[in-house]
Amino acid sequence: MMPRRRFLVCWLPSALLMFGLSYAWHGWALRDLEQLRIPLSLYLVLAGVVYLVIAAVLTIGIDRAIIYKVIEMKAGFPFKSMGLAAVAGFLVYLMVLIMGMSFADHGAVHIAVDVLWQMFEQGMGGLAVSLGIIYDMHRAFIEAEN
């Protein structure tokens, strides 16, 4: 079972980072939040819930990947976590695309750019999870010394 502190220091920063990146991408860069068919406040609440779920899946998934030695904490652990999370981002984008919940028309360029962005966004979430794990392990080491 994952320690509560480890879960929290990985889950919340990851969710906040991915939500912030999503808002920056859709709100400022693409300006496609203006095309919403639902109230912005409802969209933001629903997106917040979705990113909390994605971050929880990433946190538990990366923790399990460490336990089952899919990824190791040796050299390049944050990059391996980013890669695993980018794959999750690809899968999330496929679900969004299939369900027709994208913002704009589905031209080939739009799909390519959007899937790359989703992979980057979730990759950053995976980086936040890995840094949270490293932080928690460091804290546990310091506490054990005292």
Side-chain angles (χ1 to χ4, degrees), residues 2-65:
M2 183 178 222
R4 182 179 302 184
R5 179 180 67 193
R6 179 176 297 172
F7 180 78
L8 291 175
V9 299
C10 297
W11 173 57
L12 291 176
S14 176
L16 289 171
L17 178 62
M18 290 185 294
F19 182 81
L21 288 171
S22 177
Y23 186 81
W25 178 250
H26 293 292
W28 296 331
L30 297 182
R31 296 234 177 261
D32 53 14
L33 290 182
E34 298 166 356
Q35 301 172 13
L36 286 175
R37 290 173 267 193
I38 61 172
L40 179 62
S41 59
L42 177 62
Y43 168 79
L44 293 175
V45 168
L46 293 175
V49 169
V50 166
Y51 281 107
L52 287 170
V53 170
I54 291 171
V57 169
L58 288 178
T59 299
I60 293 167
I62 290 171
D63 183 65
R64 295 294 148 212

Side-chain angles (χ1 to χ4, degrees), residues 58-96:
L58 288 178
T59 299
I60 293 167
I62 290 171
D63 183 65
R64 295 294 148 212
I66 294 166
I67 289 171
Y68 293 112
K69 301 201 185 315
V70 174
I71 59 177
E72 294 182 3
M73 298 208 47
K74 295 180 181 174
F77 167 65
F79 298 113
K80 293 172 188 173
S81 297
M82 288 173 70
L84 189 64
V87 170
F90 179 74
L91 297 174
V92 166
Y93 185 77
L94 286 181
M95 287 189 293
V96 168

